Amino acid sequence: MNIASVKLVYFSPTGTTKAVVQGIARGINHSTVELIDITLPDARKEPLKASEDELLVVAVPVYMGRVPALVMEWLQALQAHHTPAVCVVVYGNRVYDDALLELTNTVMEHGCLPVAGAAYIGEHSFSNAETPTAQGRPDEDDLRHAEMFGRTIREKLQSASSASRLSGVQVPGEYPYRGDPTLWTVDFIAVSDACSHCGVCAAVCPVGAIDADDCTVIDQERCITCCACIRKCPENARTMKPGLVKDASKRLHTLYQERKDPEYFV
Ligand SMILES: Cc1cc2nc3c(=O)[nH]c(=O)nc-3n(C[C@H](O)[C@H](O)[C@H](O)COP(=O)(O)O)c2cc1C
Ligand code: SF4
Ligand code: SF4
């Protein structure tokens, strides 16, 4: 079938999901590609629309084994009409549980025809120099895999005469979905004197939780503990305070060193 254009949508506070999506886009190698970054609040103000002759790729990080709640909320406004769709989850080398199934079911409920799915590994959001987990992922091998997956998607689409002839995809997971997607409400970020008041942290926060006039003030109810502000601070002035998140970082470092590999389903 002929695809007029490809829309690749991603939520990616620390950039690993974005890197995977870019790899998949290289593999799909279509002349008309639109990368839609929904990480920042303004980008989630508009609902997404997709038609039958477009391919939609939706990629999210796994939070607590699930699709991040704010992405689920945004996807409720998705308007698609028999749109072939590819769902991708990126997780921090622990587990992705039911996230891929949840994402796949959600886009299907809003008019998509899921034709492929994949799970990739990205450096864990809580990873740091002292307690690294999946450091440097996605690496070269992961990105080669992402390109191969992109080519596989293209071949599947080319082999069908129309969207209605495409076979659907089965992805792993259980329903009712396991686990609780509620995130911790926690005061976990320390800001040191190295802060130059540049405003980068407030600008990159996906939920606008940091006061633009005083970056030490964080709305803990809004914070999704994504660690984007810590990673992107140019002065390395933001670190984890002792407590829940730092303990989780240590635990992940101890328990999830064994390398997991990407998986795909077509
Ligand atoms: C609140 C939160 C919960 C997470 N839960 C999981 C999880 O259940 N399993 C896992 O393997 N990784 C988990 N991660 C790690 C992210 O899925 C992973 O680091 C991902 O690559 C981050 O994507 P990004 O770089 O696009 O932000 C979690 C991260 C955060 C911030
Ligand atoms: S990004 Fe770092 S240096 Fe810039 S305002 Fe935030 S804490 Fe300060
Ligand atoms: S304040 Fe919270 S939600 Fe905002 S960037 Fe930092 S960790 Fe992420």
Side-chain angles (χ1 to χ4, degrees):
M1 66 173 288
N2 260 344
I3 291 289
S5 65
V6 183
K7 282 183 171 152
L8 299 109
V9 181
Y10 59 89
F11 177 73
S12 187
T14 61
T16 62
T17 307
K18 178 180 180 178
V20 169
V21 163
Q22 287 172 329
I24 295 171
R26 284 194 294 277
I28 294 175
N29 193 24
H30 195 282
S31 54
T32 311
V33 164
E34 192 183 352
L35 287 162
I36 303 171
D37 181 353
I38 58 158
T39 309
L40 294 180
D42 279 353
R44 296 190 303 274
K45 284 187 179 152
E46 293 297 318
L48 180 67
K49 293 180 184 169
S51 60
E52 196 169 353
D53 64 350
E54 290 178 309
L55 170 67
L56 181 62
V57 179
V58 183
V60 301
V62 174
Y63 282 5
M64 308 295 192
R66 301 284 295 272
V67 177
L70 57 76
V71 178
M72 282 299 290
E73 205 176 299
W74 182 75
L75 282 173
Q76 298 314 311
L78 167 63
Q79 295 169 29
H81 302 281
H82 308 294
T83 308
V86 176
C87 293
V88 178
V89 297
V90 180
Y91 69 107
N93 207 51
R94 189 179 74 84
V95 288
Y96 63 95
D97 278 347
D98 303 324
L100 185 56
L101 181 66
E102 186 181 22
L103 187 60
T104 303
N105 286 345
T106 304
V107 301
M108 196 160 59
E109 281 157 18
H110 290 85
C112 290
L113 172 66
V115 294
Y120 284 89
I121 295 85
E123 178 159 352
H124 201 290
S125 318
F126 298 168
S127 166
N128 54 46
E130 285 162 30
T131 51
T133 301
Q135 197 174 30
R137 309 279 303 269
D139 59 17
E140 274 183 23
D141 286 346
D142 296 319
L143 296 178
R144 250 195 305 276
H145 186 288
E147 286 189 32
M148 177 279 296
F149 179 52
R151 286 193 297 275
T152 306
I153 296 164
R154 190 183 61 202
E155 283 157 16
K156 178 165 182 176
L157 294 172
Q158 281 172 345
S159 69
S161 53
S162 66
S164 60
R165 299 257 166 196
L166 283 164
S167 58
V169 66
Q170 297 279 348
V171 299
E174 289 176 15
Y175 184 82
Y177 309 124
R178 287 161 288 181
D180 179 357
T182 311
L183 301 176
W184 297 329
T185 300
V186 57
D187 171 16
F188 81 105
I189 299 169
V191 184
S192 78
D193 291 346
C195 172
S196 62
H197 310 284
C198 67
V200 166
C201 51
V204 300
C205 177
V207 290
I210 302 174
D211 189 327
D213 297 322
D214 180 355
C215 73
T216 62
V217 177
I218 300 162
D219 182 339
Q220 286 160 34
E221 296 290 332
R222 277 201 212 174
C223 173
I224 55 168
T225 65
C226 70
C227 298
C229 59
I230 297 178
R231 289 279 176 83
K232 294 179 182 173
C233 169
E235 309 296 344
N236 292 321
R238 299 175 86 84
T239 52
M240 284 178 191
K241 288 180 182 173
L244 264 185
V245 179
K246 195 166 186 162
D247 289 349
S249 177
K250 287 183 200 158
R251 208 168 44 245
L252 289 159
H253 171 71
T254 311
L255 297 175
Y256 299 102
Q257 282 308 304
E258 195 177 325
R259 182 186 177 91
K260 294 193 167 81
D261 287 315
E263 294 167 71
Y264 74 101
F265 311 91
V266 282

